[in-house]
Amino acid sequence: MIIFPAIDIIGGQCVRLVKGDYATAAKVAEDPLETAKKFEAAGAEWIHMVDLDGAKIGYPVNTAIYKNIAENTNLKVEVGGGIRTLDTIQAYLELGIERVILGSVALKNPQLVADAIAKFGAEKIVVGIDAKHEMVATEGWLETSEVQYIDLANAMIEVGVRTFIFTDISKDGTLSGVNVEQLRKLRDATDGKCNIVASGGVHTMDDIIACRDLGLYGTIAGKSLYQGTLDLAEAIRTAGSLQIRPMRTEDFPVLYALWTACGNGLNNLDDSEKGLEKYLRRNPNTSFVAEENGKLIGAVLAGHDGRRGYIQHMSVHESCRRRGIGSRLLQVCMDAMRKEGIHKVALVAFKQNQVGNAFWEQHGFAVRDDLNYRNLALTDMVRFDPEYN
């Protein structure tokens, strides 16, 4: 699970609100860049930033701050607040922002979300769902809708969203603990179709453990870090029980047992451990395993021929599904492909596997023959776990 330290900005200052009330804004740090560097030194890989001025008035205000952090740290920066157009999204991404958060616009203009995913890819777009008493709030939390938060999440999944930040506004900035009940409802209702990041109420390590044990993708921590009730380095260590690492030859016996237990194979010609080893030696940098507490619980086997990449196999242990592990494996694999200079990737699978195909289609793949759908494709060559998600 990823820990996202948070910096909220009003008038160029690092602040925190209580329950989304702008009147409660209190300065929590002197300098955004120096604060971000401290988070990086503690081991953070991501930083969550919100333009509270932008959220209130509907367009970005504090852009220079986010650009400065993206340029002067190694942190992956995600930014929300006042993002209402494709041009704004593109401008942020061109500044080096890793991904943008769409909030109010997801409810008021869902077509923009769909268009953003089509243009920039699902990995660059996050939808923030902020709720009061389970009803979605908009416009910097100043307005409350009549749409229930789970209904919005499912509607956004339909247009291709794969990552959500859920905030219980009644908890935000209160240090009263995360809303485990609502997070569990969201997790169960979306049935492994998305990554969920918890926000609001994080106080102590108990909240980190609760979110980790729910199988969430991430947790945002803000006030708890500034007031010292949560140590960032310790939180990262506690949350980091799941590790995605490169596949090694010594993994093969365990992986082969996992894959065959799932009813899968490498391909129709060679399902042996020797076949796996031969494949990995040809492509040593693009295959990965998910490891938790020393146990291998998932893997993606992928390679390339110098022109196009191929995802040959993917599985997650049946006891660990619906935790976003598959999405994380896929993201790491695709990042590795890009580093190899590969921008077209074919997944090989049975077209008739509707459950599995739904997962891949949500991640930008499609069942078609021309191998040219968003530079990704789904073809019909080998088996994969029909319950994989």
Side-chain angles (χ1 to χ4, degrees):
M1 185 177 73
I2 300 170
I3 302 298
F4 295 82
I7 298 179
D8 294 349
I9 303 293
I10 290 181
Q13 301 294 314
C14 304
V15 302
R16 295 300 295 169
L17 308 183
V18 176
K19 298 183 181 181
D21 184 353
Y22 280 67
T24 66
K27 186 175 178 179
V28 292
E30 286 299 322
D31 180 79
L33 178 59
E34 291 307 311
T35 302
K37 287 181 175 180
K38 288 178 182 177
F39 291 155
E40 183 179 17
E45 297 181 2
W46 283 86
I47 188 166
H48 171 85
M49 305 194 72
V50 178
D51 186 342
L52 291 174
D53 294 311
K56 192 172 185 178
I57 64 177
Y59 56 84
V61 175
N62 296 288
T63 306
I65 291 174
Y66 314 126
K67 178 177 183 288
N68 192 27
I69 290 174
E71 289 180 344
N72 292 288
T73 74
N74 292 313
L75 293 166
K76 296 177 181 179
V77 181
E78 64 175 24
V79 174
I83 301 172
R84 305 284 196 272
T85 69
L86 292 177
D87 287 344
T88 300
I89 295 170
Q90 183 167 337
Y92 266 131
L93 296 179
E94 289 176 351
L95 290 177
I97 303 304
E98 188 68 23
R99 61 191 184 193
V100 301
I101 305 162
L102 302 180
S104 301
V105 73
L107 182 65
K108 298 188 173 185
N109 186 4
Q111 185 59 49
L112 178 71
V113 180
D115 292 344
I117 289 173
K119 183 172 183 178
F120 305 110
E123 72 278 3
K124 296 296 183 183
I125 305 298
V126 180
V127 166
I129 300 180
D130 307 323
K132 288 182 179 179
H133 310 297
E134 299 196 358
M135 308 309 288
V136 177
T138 62
E139 306 304 328
W141 302 350
L142 299 176
E143 300 176 9
T144 303
S145 73
E146 296 182 358
V147 177
Q148 207 261 0
Y149 75 107
I150 290 175
D151 292 339
L152 179 59
N154 281 320
M156 289 294 99
I157 288 170
E158 289 296 316
V159 302
V161 176
R162 75 181 193 190
T163 303
F164 294 98
I165 297 171
F166 173 70
T167 304
D168 175 5
I169 296 172
S170 69
K171 294 278 190 177
D172 191 71
T174 65
L175 300 179
S176 59
V178 295
N179 193 324
V180 173
E181 179 183 358
Q182 289 184 13
L183 287 164
R184 182 180 290 112
K185 285 181 181 178
L186 181 60
R187 180 201 66 182
D188 293 346
T190 53
D191 195 29
K193 297 175 183 176
C194 61
N195 298 320
I196 298 171
V197 179
S199 175
V202 171
H203 184 204
T204 67
M205 202 62 62
D206 288 342
D207 296 303
I208 302 300
I209 293 169
C211 291
R212 182 197 67 191
D213 292 349
L214 279 173
L216 302 188
Y217 170 76
T219 303
I220 293 171
K223 194 172 186 177
S224 57
L225 299 177
Y226 297 110
Q227 294 199 356
T229 63
L230 184 72
D231 180 82
L232 179 57
E234 184 183 359
I236 291 169
R237 287 193 298 271
T238 300
S241 57
L242 178 71
Q243 178 187 11
I244 307 295
R245 62 165 175 79
M247 189 181 292
R248 301 191 290 253
T249 54
E250 55 263 36
D251 297 326
F252 291 155
V254 176
L255 291 176
Y256 188 66
L258 169 65
W259 290 347
T260 53
C262 291
N264 301 317
L266 172 61
N267 57 48
N268 292 329
L269 299 176
D270 191 350
D271 287 346
S272 68
E273 291 181 39
K274 275 190 174 179
L276 303 180
E277 183 173 357
K278 192 186 301 183
Y279 194 89
L280 183 62
R281 282 180 175 169
R282 286 199 305 268
N283 297 274
N285 301 319
T286 52
S287 297
F288 299 87
V289 300
E291 188 175 58
E292 189 167 55
N293 298 321
K295 178 182 177 183
L296 296 186
I297 59 172
V300 55
L301 184 73
H304 64 87
D305 61 8
R307 299 174 299 108
R308 180 180 291 130
Y310 301 92
I311 297 177
Q312 294 286 357
H313 188 96
M314 202 164 177
S315 283
V316 173
H317 193 278
E318 62 181 357
S319 66
C320 301
R321 293 170 188 156
R322 289 178 292 278
R323 289 176 47 187
I325 295 170
S327 296
R328 291 183 61 184
L329 277 167
L330 180 60
Q331 180 179 340
V332 171
C333 176
M334 296 299 290
D335 287 345
M337 288 282 192
R338 293 185 186 100
K339 288 180 181 178
E340 295 283 309
I342 303 300
H343 299 283
K344 293 192 177 186
V345 178
L347 168 73
V348 288
F350 280 139
K351 288 181 181 178
Q352 63 265 32
N353 186 339
Q354 295 181 0
V355 174
N357 288 353
F359 169 85
W360 293 106
E361 288 175 336
Q362 287 161 10
H363 289 74
F365 293 73
V367 182
R368 55 190 294 169
D369 297 326
D370 61 10
L371 302 184
N372 194 29
Y373 180 72
R374 292 190 209 154
N375 291 326
L376 303 170
L378 178 61
T379 59
D380 188 7
M381 292 172 62
V382 299
R383 302 184 297 279
F384 69 95
D385 183 354
E387 294 182 20
Y388 172 77
N389 53 33

